[in-house]
Amino acid sequence: MKFGAVIICAALVFACACSRSPKPTPRPVAYPYIERAYDTAYCTVSEHYNLQLNAQADITDRDSGNFESPNFEVRYEKYGATLYVQCWHTESYERYLAIAENRAERAERDYGNSAPQSTTIERGEIAAVVNRTTGKTLTPFHFFAGDNSRNLAYGVVVADNAYDPDSIAPVYDYILDDILHLLNNWTTYKTR
């Protein structure tokens, strides 16, 4: 009797399992596959500051060759974003601090209520910070670098649209790679 009940239970389980229509289990949400559109090949656009920018992006010198205060625009057309980079040499530490405070205030306004994720770079006389927003904004990155000789570099990435950072994270990672390369190689003629 016991053996018969086990067989009947097994048959019922088997019959129920076979009679179900296949219902796929939804996959967890994942990033869409976004290929790196710009290789990690860099060119030096300012020897004075050793600014190395992505050679495959569209680079525009916005200050027509001013070697002491270069100002570049790097357009990532396939990513829908533009990186703006500018360097300065200040004559006084007061001016140096005023520029740093102005850039920090601008970044805070751009981030709104979103707390940025920060990456810090320190090497020799040079220190830099890259802030990446965690919220929906047109300016997902701000970075600032300085040295002991009162030289500054500042940059911002401006997106064509305010994207949700999670939906476009791979693109932002690619742009962050370029920013980190720029800052890890940034030097001035006085710090070499």
Side-chain angles (χ1 to χ4, degrees), residues 18 30 52 86 94 108 147-148 151 180 191:
C18 290
Q52 296 183 15
Q86 185 169 14
E94 290 77 23
E108 286 177 25
D147 69 7
N148 290 344
N151 292 296
L180 293 175
T191 56

Side-chain angles (χ1 to χ4, degrees), residues 40-126:
T40 54
Y42 300 96
C43 62
T44 301
V45 294
S46 169
E47 298 215 5
H48 188 74
Y49 287 103
N50 194 34
L51 282 179
Q52 296 183 15
L53 302 174
N54 193 306
Q56 293 184 336
D58 296 324
I59 301 171
T60 305
D61 184 350
R62 297 179 58 195
D63 217 2
S64 59
N66 181 350
F67 74 93
E68 287 189 5
S69 182
N71 186 353
F72 290 94
E73 177 180 318
V74 182
R75 178 69 184 155
Y76 297 94
E77 188 66 40
K78 294 176 184 174
Y79 295 159
T82 305
L83 167 64
Y84 296 94
V85 182
Q86 185 169 14
C87 296
W88 301 271
H89 174 75
T90 60
E91 296 303 320
S92 68
Y93 280 106
E94 290 77 23
R95 178 76 179 129
Y96 182 90
L97 292 174
I99 291 172
E101 288 173 5
N102 176 276
R103 300 292 91 190
E105 181 181 324
R106 166 142 185 220
E108 286 177 25
R109 277 196 226 144
D110 285 351
Y111 294 140
N113 295 332
S114 300
Q117 298 169 343
S118 295
T119 302
T120 304
I121 299 169
E122 292 184 30
R123 53 183 182 81
E125 296 181 3
I126 294 173

Side-chain angles (χ1 to χ4, degrees), residues 109-187:
R109 277 196 226 144
D110 285 351
Y111 294 140
N113 295 332
S114 300
Q117 298 169 343
S118 295
T119 302
T120 304
I121 299 169
E122 292 184 30
R123 53 183 182 81
E125 296 181 3
I126 294 173
V129 65
V130 180
N131 289 324
R132 179 179 182 167
T133 187
T134 56
K136 198 173 185 177
T137 180
L138 288 173
T139 52
F141 292 99
H142 285 266
F143 66 86
F144 188 82
D147 69 7
N148 290 344
S149 300
R150 299 183 311 275
N151 292 296
L152 302 167
Y154 172 75
V156 63
V157 173
V158 179
D160 293 348
N161 294 301
Y163 300 107
D164 181 14
D166 286 341
S167 66
I168 196 163
V171 166
Y172 287 168
D173 290 344
Y174 301 150
I175 295 173
L176 179 61
D177 290 345
D178 287 353
I179 293 170
L180 293 175
H181 179 85
L182 183 151
L183 294 174
N184 280 316
N185 291 283
W186 182 72
T187 57

